[in-house]
Amino acid sequence: MADRTALVTGASRGIGLGIATHLAGLGFALTITARDAAVLEDVSRSLRAAGAPDVLAVASEASDADAVAAVVDAHAARWSSLSTLVLGAGVGSAGPVADYPLARWDKQFAVNVRAAFVAVARALPLLRHAAGEDAVRGARIIALSSIGGVYPEPGLAAYGASKAALISLCRSLNEEESGHGVSATAISPAYVDTDMSAWVHDEVPPEEMIPVSDVVALVGALVEMSSRSVVPHLVVSRAGASGYRA
Ligand SMILES: NC(=O)c1ccc[n+]([C@@H]2O[C@H](COP(=O)([O-])OP(=O)(O)OC[C@H]3O[C@@H](n4cnc5c(N)ncnc54)[C@H](OP(=O)(O)O)[C@@H]3O)[C@@H](O)[C@H]2O)c1
């Protein structure tokens, strides 16, 4: 039986995959989720090769609250404890407020905020259990927010609002849970070099974006910290940029 377990949403690629791979190397047993079961099976193999003692892959659509809850329940059935919940699944789309289609607002809030809230609420008993088992480190929730949730940016109102909601959720969780060993951190990077930011390559080339490995390094530090320290929010800006834009 592994010492620590993590559940990583959005683990199929990008930042979520980077975090899952790092946690595998630390010996975490992992539950991973994204939409495509076949992709998750390939990722599971690579995570086992990276050191994860066990990997449970559960495909789910994040805008389906029951499916998100089922992922947490599958983790609970396997391990009954959860050291680290990584909320990595996210979508974004750009456009001015005046013409923004409501369906795109709804999709971003369903995937970026509602799914996160459902996963956290369902996982809290498991996180509290892990914090009880490991009083030194406690248990952590790590949410991939965005610098767009901190500083306004033309065209990113919907995405930014959804990411601001995640930052607020982490702060509220710390009020409610950190005294009992479960704390939450929102990480808010500027453009990270993944599929999600490819649309902006004409303006910001990939070599000027934050590498996935830097976000992973922050997560690596968080999971080793003691439960006596709460890190509510980490903002990561790009070198050479104003610091107030993605
Ligand atoms: N890249 C950036 O510039 C940047 C900057 C700041 C914050 N972030 C945030 O960091 C997180 C990870 O971003 P990334 O750059 O790694 O993005 P990415 O490469 O596009 O990966 C997104 C992940 O979310 C999953 N996902 C998307 N829609 C989903 C849905 N409807 N149901 C279930 N899973 C879904 C994807 O899985 P499948 O498509 O395989 O289902 C994938 O694993 C996101 O929350 C993003 O908002 C990204």
Side-chain angles (χ1 to χ4, degrees):
M1 180 66 72
D3 280 337
R4 291 196 278 177
T5 73
L7 192 165
V8 182
T9 74
S12 58
R13 53 200 165 88
I15 303 170
L17 175 60
I19 292 170
T21 304
H22 182 77
L23 296 177
L26 294 177
F28 279 71
L30 294 163
T31 296
I32 57 168
T33 189
R35 286 169 291 187
D36 189 321
V39 171
L40 289 177
E41 279 315 313
D42 287 345
V43 171
S44 297
R45 275 189 287 280
S46 75
L47 294 174
R48 286 193 188 93
D54 196 6
V55 182
L56 177 63
V58 187
S60 68
E61 162 57 56
S63 57
D64 177 346
D66 290 341
V68 173
V71 176
V72 178
D73 290 351
H75 181 96
R78 178 80 65 105
W79 288 293
S80 28
S81 179
L82 176 62
S83 319
T84 306
L85 172 62
V86 179
L87 302 166
V91 287
S93 87
V97 172
D99 311 318
Y100 205 74
L102 196 55
R104 282 158 62 183
W105 167 280
D106 288 343
K107 173 81 181 197
Q108 284 169 96
F109 270 75
V111 174
N112 298 356
V113 186
R114 191 163 171 266
F117 189 84
V118 169
V120 167
R122 196 78 162 198
L124 271 173
L126 303 173
L127 290 158
R128 291 181 189 134
H129 185 82
E133 286 177 327
D134 184 352
V136 173
R137 281 186 293 219
R140 294 208 181 247
I141 297 160
I142 298 169
L144 268 301
S145 177
S146 164
I147 202 165
V150 187
Y151 304 114
E153 190 148 336
L156 292 182
Y159 180 71
S162 74
K163 294 301 185 176
L166 266 187
I167 296 165
S168 176
L169 175 61
C170 287
R171 291 190 187 281
S172 298
L173 282 165
N174 288 329
E175 292 281 334
E176 293 186 10
E177 299 290 336
S178 66
H180 311 293
V182 180
S183 72
T185 303
I187 301 182
S188 297
Y191 287 124
V192 180
D193 180 19
T194 68
D195 295 347
M196 181 181 265
S197 55
W199 67 282
V200 86
H201 280 173
D202 286 349
E203 198 188 320
V204 183
E207 60 273 15
E208 291 180 16
M209 293 183 177
I210 295 163
V212 168
S213 57
D214 286 352
V215 181
V216 169
L218 294 174
V219 173
L222 288 168
V223 300
E224 299 307 343
M225 289 174 65
S226 91
S227 64
R228 293 162 61 185
S229 298
V230 174
V231 184
H233 191 199
L234 294 166
V235 178
V236 189
S237 55
R238 282 187 300 113
S242 70
Y244 302 101
R245 296 287 292 263

